[in-house]
Amino acid sequence: MQSFVDIWQYMPHGMCLLWQPWLVTLWAGSDLIIFLSYTAIPLALLTVLRKRQDIPFSGLVVLFSSFILLCGLTHLMGIVTLWYPIYPWVGMLKLATGLVSAATAVVLFRLIPTLVALPSPAQLSEANSKLQAEADAHQDTLAKLKSLVADLQAEAAAHEATLAKLEDLVAERTEELHEANTRLAVQTREAVHRSANLLSVVTSLTRQTARGHERTEDFIEALLGRIHSLAMATSTVVRGDDHLSGDLATIMRQQLDPVLLTYGKRVNLDGPPTQIVSEAAQQISLAVHELATNAQKYSLSQDAASQVTISWGVEGADEDQRFVLVWRETHPTGETASDTPAGEGGFGTKLLTRIVPQVLRGEATRSIDDGVLEYRLKAPASAVLANPEDTDTATLAARLVDENFGLK
């Protein structure tokens, strides 16, 4: 330990250089430059290691920095020993430097396989190029996927618009079908109701006609004539559509067809085009049938000079409008017409003067004066011309026939 303290027993290193100024300066200057460089290098390495904590083998970097720094200190001590012979201390420093150097060498040799396996800058550059190309390819694929998604979204929007249109069209067609089914149901119920009413009228006519005839042939002839008049009126009015009305002139011609064919110009029709509802057509047809049957029996067939004129029209205005039908049967000699039974005072007369006008909510008169028989029927225009859905009239006709005339 005394050797570390009593250093003056050694000779300064400058004496070995004979204290020549230029040699001392060269020696000391070179060591100083080496010391400064060896000090700067570790500082740079440690600075990089502090800022880049992801650098692999950081312990090896620390060992290198320590080894280089200790080497720099030995050169610094070399400058000091030119004047101060602190050789024991310099020896200890060199020992530390040797130990750190040995440890660095050992660690370095052990890491040789790992360091060799590290990719070179060229390999890293190539790998980076490949990664960049792959990234570019992924970007292109991503761009194509985005474009495809946009196209799919546009197509989906178009399909949604088409689906919305189809839904609207289906809803519209469904509504039309519902309306058509509703109209069909109404027409079906109307047809069933009218058929039931017509059967009620036919049943009442059959029962009352049978009461007024003792002979089967007369009963059958009268009944078939009345049923035929009803059928003709109904077939004229019910045309297979939703307009349950018919032209009065057409109904008249169908009822009077046998008379017109037989007596031609002796039977005249005079009236404007007039649409009447189904029940009014049935009642007027029954009345015209009764009048035509009587005229054939007692007037037209008995006197070639007799004539029949049927006229109709509407009188008044607004709510006071009334439908008027006039049957005028003339006989120039004035002999036969005044004696015409005109229904024999039985069911036919009651049908003309009571049933038909009551069903149509009107009134009727029948008069014979100076060879002229006139039947005049008046009824509210609404009962004849207006609402075709007033289907209670046929039922009323059957009830009137049964209640008022069934017991007489």
Side-chain angles (χ1 to χ4, degrees):
M1 191 65 181
Q2 185 65 30
S3 299
F4 286 93
V5 177
D6 190 11
I7 60 174
W8 297 109
Q9 60 180 327
Y10 305 112
M11 181 177 60
H13 192 231
M15 295 181 66
C16 295
L17 301 178
L18 302 178
W19 298 109
Q20 294 185 21
W22 68 272
L23 187 57
V24 172
T25 302
L26 177 61
W27 194 277
S30 299
D31 282 339
L32 180 61
I33 293 174
I34 294 173
F35 167 72
L36 293 176
S37 299
Y38 277 19
T39 303
I41 292 173
L43 290 176
L45 290 175
L46 293 176
T47 301
V48 172
L49 186 63
R50 184 174 59 85
K51 293 185 177 181
R52 288 290 304 274
Q53 296 181 0
D54 59 337
I55 294 178
F57 314 115
S58 59
L60 182 62
V61 175
V62 172
L63 285 175
F64 265 106
S65 299
S66 301
F67 161 67
I68 294 172
L69 181 60
L70 288 173
C71 288
L73 289 175
T74 58
H75 284 278
L76 178 63
M77 292 300 102
I79 297 174
V80 173
T81 57
L82 287 175
W83 290 277
Y84 301 98
I86 56 173
Y87 298 118
W89 300 101
V90 173
M92 295 298 294
L93 179 61
K94 285 186 176 184
L95 177 61
T97 302
L99 293 174
V100 173
S101 299
T104 303
V106 172
V107 173
L108 182 60
F109 271 95
R110 293 184 62 182
L111 290 176
I112 285 177
T114 304
L115 295 175
V116 170
L118 292 175
S120 66
Q123 291 175 330
L124 289 175
S125 177
E126 183 180 359
N128 287 334
S129 298
K130 291 181 179 179
L131 289 175
Q132 185 62 42
E134 187 175 355
D136 293 339
H138 287 319
Q139 290 293 334
D140 293 340
T141 303
L142 182 59
K144 292 179 180 178
L145 287 176
K146 289 182 178 179
S147 177
L148 181 60
V149 169
D151 293 340
L152 290 175
Q153 289 178 344
E155 187 175 355
H159 286 321
E160 289 180 358
T162 303
L163 182 60
K165 291 181 180 179
L166 288 176
E167 290 177 350
D168 293 340
L169 182 61
V170 169
E172 182 180 353
R173 293 295 181 268
T174 302
E175 182 65 23
E176 292 177 357
L177 181 60
H178 177 70
E179 293 178 358
N181 288 336
T182 301
R183 290 196 298 270
L184 180 60
V186 171
Q187 292 177 7
T188 302
R189 290 195 299 269
E190 180 69 15
V192 172
H193 185 69
R194 289 176 181 272
S195 299
N197 290 342
L198 186 58
L199 287 174
S200 299
V201 173
V202 171
T203 301
S204 298
L205 285 176
T206 303
R207 182 166 50 249
Q208 301 309 322
T209 302
R211 293 177 185 274
H213 294 82
E214 297 181 357
R215 297 178 67 251
T216 303
E217 292 80 3
D218 295 339
F219 161 69
I220 293 175
E221 181 180 357
L223 177 62
L224 289 179
R226 288 165 179 165
I227 292 177
H228 180 69
S229 67
L230 282 175
M232 295 286 286
T234 303
S235 64
T236 302
V237 172
V238 182
R239 299 171 298 177
D241 54 20
D242 57 350
H243 299 288
L244 298 174
S245 62
D247 180 62
L248 180 58
T250 302
I251 296 172
M252 289 289 189
R253 289 189 180 91
Q254 288 184 344
Q255 294 297 327
L256 298 174
D257 185 56
V259 180
L260 291 172
L261 291 175
T262 303
Y263 301 104
K265 296 182 179 179
R266 294 171 59 188
V267 179
N268 301 306
L269 299 178
D270 182 19
T274 305
Q275 291 289 321
I276 63 175
V277 296
S278 175
E279 286 76 13
Q282 292 176 1
Q283 300 307 312
I284 293 175
S285 295
L286 286 173
V288 171
H289 172 73
E290 294 297 328
L291 292 168
T293 300
N294 292 332
Q296 284 181 289
K297 289 181 180 180
Y298 307 109
S299 179
L300 295 174
S301 62
Q302 300 297 327
D303 190 345
S306 61
Q307 292 190 358
V308 175
T309 301
I310 306 101
S311 61
W312 63 86
V314 178
E315 299 176 349
D318 300 330
E319 296 181 357
D320 295 331
Q321 278 190 329
R322 298 183 69 80
F323 171 80
V324 180
L325 173 70
V326 178
W327 175 288
R328 184 181 295 274
E329 188 178 321
T330 62
H331 190 282
T333 62
E335 297 177 357
T336 304
S338 60
D339 299 328
T340 300
E344 301 175 354
F347 179 68
T349 301
K350 296 172 184 178
L351 184 68
L352 290 171
T353 58
R354 297 177 62 182
I355 296 177
V356 172
Q358 287 189 44
V359 171
L360 297 180
R361 300 193 295 275
E363 56 187 13
T365 59
R366 174 180 171 277
S367 63
I368 302 175
D369 185 19
D370 195 18
V372 177
L373 181 145
E374 183 179 278
Y375 174 77
R376 184 178 294 270
L377 172 66
K378 289 185 178 182
S382 60
V384 179
L385 310 177
N387 186 6
E389 296 180 356
D390 184 10
T391 57
D392 294 332
T393 318
T395 305
L396 175 62
R399 183 171 59 80
L400 288 174
V401 171
D402 289 336
E403 293 180 357
N404 295 333
F405 310 108
L407 299 177
K408 295 183 181 180

